Amino acid sequence: MLRNGLEPWHLLVVAAVVVLVFGSKKLPDTARALGRSMRILKSEAKAMKEDGAASGTVSEAQTTVTTAPAEPRATAY
């Protein structure tokens, strides 16, 4: 049934339908927004990886730090 898969003319038909549905004026804005979203996603994923690697060293440092117990607060009645 689908021996050849997608052929180039299939992609042309899909591109023509997209242009008809969205219009040629909206396509550049849509592509720009998609590109911006991809950049944000990549930067956030990179930041999460760096935070994950850094959090391992931070948690070890936090376990060695001791703090003095908090003094009780005086309450006014």
Side-chain angles (χ1 to χ4, degrees), residues 16-55:
V17 169
V18 167
V19 169
L20 288 174
V21 170
F22 292 108
S24 61
K25 291 184 179 182
K26 287 238 180 200
L27 286 178
D29 294 335
T30 305
R32 199 173 298 119
L34 181 64
R36 232 180 267 136
S37 298
M38 292 296 290
R39 278 193 300 272
I40 291 170
L41 179 66
K42 285 181 183 179
S43 67
E44 291 296 324
K46 184 178 178 183
M48 287 180 68
K49 281 184 181 179
E50 290 173 356
D51 287 346
S55 68

